[in-house]
Amino acid sequence: MIAVHGHAGERVAILGLGRSGLSAARALRAGGAVPVLWDDNPDARARAEAEGFETADPTRAGALEAVTMMVVSPGIPHLYPAPNPAIAAAMEAGVPVDNDIGLFFRALGQGAWDSLDTPPKVVAVTGSNGKSTTSALIHHVLEEAGRPAQLAGNIGRGVLDIDAPGEAGVVVLELSSYQTELARALTPDIAVFTNLTPDHLDRHGGQGGYFAAKRRLFAEGGPDRAVVGVDEAEGRFLANQLATASADDRVIRVSAGRKLSGPGWQVFARKGFLTEWRKGRQVGSIDLRQVRGLPGAHNHQNACAAYAACRALGLGPRQIEAGFHSFEGLPHRSQIVAEAGGVTYVNDSKATNVDSALKALQAFDKVRWICGGLMKEGGLGGLEPGFGHVEKAYVIGREAAAFSLELKGVEAEVCTTMAQAVARAVAEAQPGETVLLAPSAASFDQYDNFEKRGEDFVAQVKAALGRD
């Protein structure tokens, strides 16, 4: 645990008692603060009280009078589409609102590192797609290279649950827009921007607000090095704002679709090959086609971003390549779960939006595509470039019939349930094809989260193949 100091004796409100809320409460208590916790779920309050925490509803009259700060869990809206009543009450009362990420960066700055030869570093990864894989890949490569590293934030452990990093330690954080938007302190050593596609627009008041939330990590964080995906206009804009000249190698530009040129520092992938250029010459390359845990162009973008971050941390190209080859991928993200009869079964349940599902489709040649769920804003038109890879779609979800009508020019069968979709896909798949779960939709019509949906897919595949 990383104790949060500077609030000894103060009452600090904690709103939301999931992983981040409880870890923040423990860290504040370890630093001498008096956390006062609240969650609308009575079971969550009961668990907090069992740990000896005080609970109190911050919306009640007078509840915030002695409170000096409110720490908010990322899933609770603080501005759009409307502020949570407790957060609105805090803002009305002039109580500063923060989150566990802000507490982490402030607490980390209090570390006694003067005696260390190599102080710890923080790598923070944000973006619409690929940030989990990129974060996990950086962490994996560091560990394989013998560097002490911890993975936290929006993946793995709560950020305040990790151990205080020591000599040459690296903390790799995956940060969502919900986390970067509200954190009052953001000071990573290396910041990574993977890409930007429309998502969470209701929480940020539109695409501009969404980009602004991501941009805070760079504009206010002031990282020593910025790794920026430049395949979208927002990434090119961000890289341009951060660099003081074309040769400014504090910005490492990354692309998964085109060769980058110029006197600066670039890492790009084309036709399955990753290439690093610096100061006008090639200094490294990796053949990604044989890296089993990173299939498809979208994972090649993740590989480029992770490679750039690891190079910025001082690792050599061959160290990074070795780490890539031993990386097995993350569950629910282009995860190969079975191979039988020449057919590959891939779980990409995390492909919850059009852009990530498109990239999943384009990673394979002949796809039996399981898709569907709660459609997000904008429809499915953006998937059309990937339809040429689809042999047939098997649509799940309560809105399966309406979803299938959006798949123009694709043979689609309304299956509704995962069990039926998998059974039909397994029965019809031919050698050389891929049965792919890439829903392009949220899971909440049938599952608690995308993980549960992916787990169901894996279970149904095993059952259909007789591997229970």
Side-chain angles (χ1 to χ4, degrees):
M1 176 194 298
I2 296 177
V4 176
H5 297 283
H7 301 280
E10 298 179 7
R11 290 174 66 82
V12 178
I14 309 289
L15 183 64
L17 301 181
R19 181 185 62 182
S20 66
L22 281 174
S23 65
R26 296 179 190 122
L28 282 159
R29 183 166 63 181
V34 182
V36 184
L37 282 57
W38 186 255
D39 193 297
D40 290 339
N41 185 337
D43 292 337
R45 298 199 300 270
R47 288 192 294 270
E49 289 166 355
E51 290 192 36
F53 287 112
E54 176 186 348
T55 60
D57 185 348
T59 63
R60 291 185 178 178
L64 296 173
E65 287 182 359
V67 168
T68 60
M69 177 174 61
M70 176 178 283
V71 179
V72 177
S73 292
I76 302 174
H78 52 270
L79 185 57
Y80 301 114
N84 178 276
I87 298 177
M91 292 182 176
E92 182 68 25
V95 174
V97 177
D98 203 349
N99 60 19
D100 65 324
I101 302 301
L103 293 181
F104 164 79
F105 278 111
R106 285 194 282 129
L108 205 63
Q110 300 165 357
W113 294 339
D114 291 345
S115 61
L116 300 180
D117 292 331
T118 307
K121 291 186 180 296
V122 177
V123 180
V125 182
T126 195
S128 297
N129 302 308
K131 56 184 178 293
S132 294
T133 297
T134 300
S135 301
L137 183 56
I138 294 168
H139 176 255
H140 175 80
V141 170
L142 289 168
E143 287 199 322
E144 290 292 292
R147 290 283 294 271
Q150 299 179 80
L151 180 65
N154 203 44
I155 185 174
R157 303 160 68 187
V159 68
L160 294 169
D161 280 336
I162 67 174
D163 300 325
E167 181 74 36
V170 181
V171 178
V172 183
L173 300 181
E174 178 196 336
L175 298 182
S176 72
S177 57
Y178 297 173
Q179 293 168 311
T180 58
E181 183 174 51
L182 194 60
R184 298 174 75 90
L186 287 168
T187 54
D189 297 282
I190 299 169
V192 179
F193 178 88
T194 60
N195 51 52
L196 195 85
T197 59
D199 207 358
H200 309 304
L201 301 188
D202 58 333
R203 272 291 299 266
H204 299 293
Q207 182 82 341
Y210 180 45
F211 176 51
K214 301 286 190 186
R215 183 178 175 274
R216 286 193 74 237
L217 182 64
F218 301 82
E220 299 185 32
D224 295 331
R225 279 254 159 70
V227 176
V228 182
V230 295
D231 287 336
E232 294 86 29
E234 290 88 352
R236 293 189 289 274
F237 174 81
L238 179 61
N240 184 270
Q241 283 206 316
L242 295 172
T244 58
S246 58
D248 187 350
D249 67 1
R250 293 174 303 172
V251 179
I252 308 176
R253 291 171 170 83
V254 167
S255 173
R258 59 196 175 93
K259 179 179 179 179
L260 301 177
S261 60
W265 196 349
Q266 297 98 16
V267 178
F268 56 88
R270 293 182 69 206
K271 299 181 180 180
F273 287 87
L274 179 153
T275 305
E276 176 190 6
W277 283 73
R278 193 171 185 182
K279 296 180 179 179
R281 65 185 183 91
Q282 182 177 325
V283 294
S285 66
I286 296 175
D287 183 353
L288 297 174
R289 296 172 300 174
Q290 304 304 315
V291 180
R292 184 175 174 81
L294 297 167
H298 60 310
N299 274 312
H300 293 174
Q301 182 185 54
N302 300 334
C304 288
Y307 177 96
C310 290
R311 290 287 282 141
L313 288 167
L315 272 64
R318 299 286 76 84
Q319 288 178 295
I320 300 170
E321 182 176 10
F324 281 5
H325 279 285
S326 60
F327 181 67
E328 296 183 354
L330 288 177
H332 317 298
R333 298 164 176 86
S334 296
Q335 175 194 17
I336 298 174
V337 299
E339 292 177 299
V343 178
T344 303
Y345 297 84
V346 177
N347 167 23
D348 203 342
S349 184
K350 185 60 171 65
T352 59
N353 59 38
V354 166
D355 185 72
S356 55
L358 173 60
K359 289 175 178 176
L361 290 175
Q362 292 174 327
F364 306 98
D365 290 330
K366 297 180 179 180
V367 177
R368 300 278 170 178
W369 179 28
I370 298 176
C371 56
L374 291 177
M375 277 193 292
K376 296 186 176 181
E377 291 182 24
L380 304 177
L383 288 166
E384 290 184 7
F387 286 169
H389 295 248
V390 178
E391 298 293 312
K392 183 177 177 180
Y394 306 83
V395 188
I396 64 173
R398 290 204 302 258
E399 301 174 353
F403 195 101
S404 66
L405 293 175
E406 294 273 333
L407 306 178
K408 308 297 186 184
V410 173
E411 181 184 355
E413 180 177 338
V414 175
C415 296
T416 306
T417 67
M418 184 71 74
Q420 183 178 351
V422 170
R424 295 291 296 146
V426 170
E428 297 181 352
Q430 301 297 311
E433 295 181 347
T434 299
V435 174
L436 170 68
L437 171 65
S440 188
S443 60
F444 305 122
D445 58 334
Q446 292 182 307
Y447 302 94
D448 290 340
N449 49 53
F450 73 84
E451 292 96 341
K452 294 295 184 184
R453 178 171 58 191
E455 290 165 6
D456 190 18
F457 172 75
V458 174
Q460 297 299 336
V461 167
K462 289 182 178 180
L465 297 177
R467 300 180 180 180
D468 285 347

